[in-house]
Amino acid sequence: SARFDIAIEADLIEEVVRLHGYDKVPDTRLVGEATPAANTESRVPAIRAAQLLADRGYSEAITYSFVEPRLQAQLLGDADELALVNPISADQAVMRRSLWPGLLSVAKTNRQRQQPRVRLFEIGVTFISQDNEINEKNMIAGVVWGQLSPEHWSDTAGEQRAADFFDVKNDLDALLALAGNRNAPDYVASEHPALRPGRTARIERNGELLGWLGELHPRLARKLGVAGAPVLFELLADQALAATVPRFQPVSRYPSVRRDLAVIVAENVTAAAVVNVVQEAAGSLLQEVKVFDVYRGSSIENGLKSVALGLILQETSRTLTEPEIDAVIKTVISRLSSKFNASIRE
C-alpha cells in the first residue's frame, strides 16, 4: 500500500523485472505485419501542395490544435465546442474548428515583430462535434498580409501595393491545378462570418464545396487589433487534392480557329457564368475559351459591362469550314441572349 506508483498490471510486471534483473530478460525479436502505403495518381500528395505554396513565397506554420474559445467564436460563430478537460491554458481550451485562429495569431505576432510581408500556410486537421461524434477534416489554410512582394529597387518611389483578394486567388488557382482537373474552380460570391462582405468567395468545383477565400472582416480586424486587410483561404484537402488521372489525347494536325466576342451583360453576371454558357453552347468543337478583357466605361450604360471572350475552335479529323464556325458563334450568341439578355458589343 505504500507504493503509490503501482496501480496497474504493467506497473507490477515492471517491478518484478527490475528485481529479477533486466539483463536476465531474454531478447525477443518483434514480429508484425507491415503494409506498404498505397501510391495512387488519384490524389495529389500533401507534400506536393506544400512545396508549391513554398515556391510561391509562403512559409509553413505548425500551430496548436487547441485555440482560444472567444477568438474561434468571433471567427466562425457559436457552435458546440470540443472543450479540453485539462487545458494547457485558458487561451488553448478548445479544439480548433478551423486553421484560421492559429494562423491569424502567428501572423499578428509576425507583424508585431515588424515583418512587413506575411505569407503563411498550414496543412492540418480540424475537429467538429457532430451527432455526438468527433468529425476530423484535413485542411489547407493560409493567410496573406502586407506587401505583395519583397522590397525591390525598382519599386515606384519605394512604394508597394498590398496583396489583395485576386493575388491569393491566383495562388489557389495554381494549387488546385495540381489536381489536373480540366474544370476550373468556380469562385462564387457568398458570405462567411469571418470574411468581408463583397470580398468573399465560396470555392466550388462541379458544385462541390472546396473551401473559402476572402478578406478578414473589418469588424473582426478591429477587435483583434489587426491593421490592414489580411486575406484568408481554407480548403478541404481531400476534395481539393482529389486528382483526375491524365488521359492521352493526340494533338490535332488541323488548324484551330479563334473568334473573339465582346458580350454586354448586367454587372451582376459573373464572367464564370458567361464562360459556362459558352462551353455548353459551343459543344465539342470548342477547345478553349479565354476571358481577355472586362470593360466598364462611358460607352456602356450604367449597370452593364462588356466581357471579351476568345473562342478557340478545332476539329481533330478535318479543317473547320466557315459555315460550321458561323453556326457555332450564332448558337453561342443566341444562348447568351436568352440566358442573360446579352448583346454583342460592336
Side-chain angles (χ1 to χ4, degrees):
S1 60
R3 293 294 299 274
F4 61 86
D5 58 333
I6 297 180
I8 60 176
E9 180 182 358
D11 296 334
L12 184 59
I13 294 172
E14 181 183 6
E15 190 70 8
V16 171
V17 172
R18 184 180 67 82
L19 294 174
H20 180 65
Y22 289 109
D23 57 331
K24 297 179 181 179
V25 178
D27 294 334
T28 304
R29 186 181 297 274
L30 296 178
V31 178
E33 294 183 358
T35 303
N39 187 13
T40 176
E41 292 184 82
S42 62
R43 176 178 171 80
V44 177
I47 186 63
R48 179 67 183 91
Q51 288 171 342
L52 180 136
L53 290 172
D55 291 342
R56 299 182 76 88
Y58 290 77
S59 296
E60 185 171 10
I62 301 176
T63 64
Y64 284 106
S65 297
F66 326 124
V67 297
E68 182 185 0
R70 185 171 60 89
L71 173 59
Q72 180 154 267
Q74 288 175 340
L75 288 171
L76 306 176
D78 295 326
D80 293 335
E81 300 285 10
L82 292 171
L84 300 177
V85 176
N86 186 23
I88 300 174
S89 66
D91 292 341
Q92 297 177 321
V94 298
M95 302 296 289
R96 64 188 180 190
R97 291 185 277 134
S98 168
L99 302 182
W100 286 347
L103 285 173
L104 277 174
S105 298
V106 175
K108 183 178 179 181
T109 300
N110 276 265
R111 289 301 295 264
Q112 290 172 341
R113 301 302 187 273
Q114 300 178 321
Q115 297 300 313
R117 183 172 182 266
V118 177
R119 298 170 71 86
L120 299 171
F121 79 93
E122 181 174 7
I123 300 176
V125 179
T126 59
F127 306 86
I128 299 175
S129 177
Q130 188 175 20
D131 299 329
N132 296 322
E133 294 184 355
I134 300 176
N135 187 11
E136 299 184 13
K137 293 184 178 180
N138 297 314
M139 309 295 290
I140 303 174
V143 56
V144 175
W145 192 4
Q147 297 176 357
L148 174 61
S149 57
E151 186 177 351
H152 192 261
W153 61 265
S154 63
D155 297 339
T156 304
E159 295 182 356
Q160 258 218 24
R161 72 174 180 87
D164 61 18
F165 176 97
F166 294 100
D167 296 317
V168 182
K169 176 179 177 291
N170 191 35
D171 294 334
L172 291 183
D173 283 339
L175 177 61
L176 294 171
L178 290 176
N181 293 291
R182 293 191 63 187
N183 295 331
D186 295 322
Y187 295 84
V188 183
S190 188
E191 294 184 0
H192 189 284
L195 304 177
R196 181 174 180 174
R199 299 185 185 179
T200 299
R202 173 186 167 99
I203 308 172
E204 300 178 352
R205 180 185 284 132
N206 298 327
E208 179 186 24
L209 173 66
L210 296 184
W212 292 88
L213 167 66
E215 285 187 10
L216 181 66
H217 199 294
R219 169 180 51 81
L220 291 174
R222 289 191 297 269
K223 286 185 178 181
L224 299 176
V226 173
V231 182
L232 304 170
F233 71 85
E234 189 166 50
L235 299 172
L236 293 162
D238 293 341
Q239 287 83 344
L241 300 181
T244 299
V245 178
R247 294 183 179 180
F248 171 76
Q249 184 175 354
V251 177
S252 176
R253 295 182 298 170
Y254 300 93
S256 62
V257 177
R258 173 165 175 157
R259 290 290 185 271
D260 291 345
L261 293 176
V263 183
I264 298 177
V265 294
E267 184 65 49
N268 60 355
V269 177
T270 65
V274 174
V275 169
N276 289 337
V277 171
V278 170
Q279 290 173 334
E280 293 175 0
S284 61
L285 293 182
L286 181 67
Q287 299 300 312
E288 188 177 3
V289 56
K290 300 179 179 180
V291 178
F292 62 88
D293 184 50
V294 177
Y295 173 77
R296 302 171 180 86
S298 57
S299 60
I300 298 178
E301 296 181 18
N302 289 334
L304 300 178
K305 64 183 177 184
S306 171
V307 180
L309 306 168
L311 281 66
I312 299 176
L313 307 174
Q314 189 177 40
E315 172 60 63
T316 59
S317 61
R318 55 186 171 80
T319 300
L320 290 174
T321 62
E322 284 298 326
E324 290 176 316
I325 297 170
D326 291 341
V328 171
I329 299 302
K330 289 180 180 178
T331 302
V332 168
I333 294 174
S334 175
R335 191 74 60 85
L336 289 172
S337 177
S338 61
K339 182 72 175 181
F340 303 121
N341 194 28
S343 60
I344 300 300
R345 181 184 173 198
E346 301 297 337

